[in-house]
């Protein structure tokens, strides 16, 4: 398995072996240091428990919706397709996700913590 992340300095998207979780690497594009998310001591958010990730299995029959930063909405899709979109880079830290049956959108970085690494700080209040 691999971890998808984006360099916060040059925005280069990359995939690294999950054995590098929690370690510091250099961006192959700009050589800046990057901390790979997913270290052993990294806390799992309530949303991750809720989404089924921590339990070791993903509920593939649950439908999801994606809302991009520009406001376009996609779905319903199953979790496998949502995960695929995230690996392709179509889901960013500025995207929001909604699990079918819920009433509140959540930041995609709550479902995909590796996106939080690449999230620019300037949009937190937007």
């Amino acid at each position: 398995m691999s971890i998808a992340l984006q360099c916060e300095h040059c925005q280069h998207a990359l995939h690294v072996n999950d054995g590098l979780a929690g370690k510091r690497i250099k961006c192959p594009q700009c050589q800046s240091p990057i901390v790979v998310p997913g270290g052993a001591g990294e806390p799992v958010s309530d949303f991750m428990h809720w989404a089924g990730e921590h339990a070791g299995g993903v509920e593939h029959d649950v439908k999801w919706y994606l809302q991009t930063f520009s406001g376009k909405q996609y779905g319903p899709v199953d979790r496998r397709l949502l995960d695929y979109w995230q690996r392709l880079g179509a889901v960013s830290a500025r995207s929001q996700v909604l699990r079918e049956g819920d009433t509140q959108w959540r930041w995609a970085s709550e479902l995909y913590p590796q996106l939080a690494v690449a999230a620019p700080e300037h949009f937190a209040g937007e």
Side-chain angles (χ1 to χ4, degrees):
M1 294 202 56
S2 67
I3 298 172
L5 63 140
Q6 187 174 19
C7 175
E8 61 188 55
H9 304 283
C10 70
Q11 308 309 312
H12 179 71
L14 61 145
H15 291 268
V16 297
N17 185 300
D18 60 359
L20 295 173
K23 299 193 172 156
R24 185 180 302 265
I25 63 170
K26 285 186 179 181
C27 171
Q29 181 88 11
C30 71
Q31 301 300 308
S32 295
I34 303 171
V35 176
V36 179
E42 189 170 297
V44 177
S45 73
D46 290 340
F47 182 61
M48 292 296 283
H49 284 287
W50 167 85
E53 286 287 326
H54 189 63
V58 175
E59 300 175 35
H60 291 290
D61 57 336
V62 173
K63 298 300 180 189
W64 291 83
Y65 296 84
L66 171 68
Q67 179 171 286
T68 65
F69 179 65
S70 65
K72 290 186 179 181
Q73 292 184 1
Y74 301 92
V77 298
D78 68 14
R79 180 61 190 273
R80 290 179 196 156
L81 183 55
L82 188 65
D83 290 347
Y84 179 68
W85 288 348
Q86 186 276 322
R87 287 192 305 274
L88 289 176
V91 179
S92 73
R94 292 184 176 193
S95 301
Q96 294 185 355
V97 293
L98 177 73
R99 192 170 89 162
E100 193 168 60
D102 287 350
T103 58
Q104 181 179 353
W105 288 90
R106 297 194 181 247
W107 292 110
S109 58
E110 291 183 62
L111 186 59
Y112 302 106
Q114 62 271 31
L115 296 176
V117 172
E121 295 176 19
H122 70 273
F123 79 88
E126 289 180 7

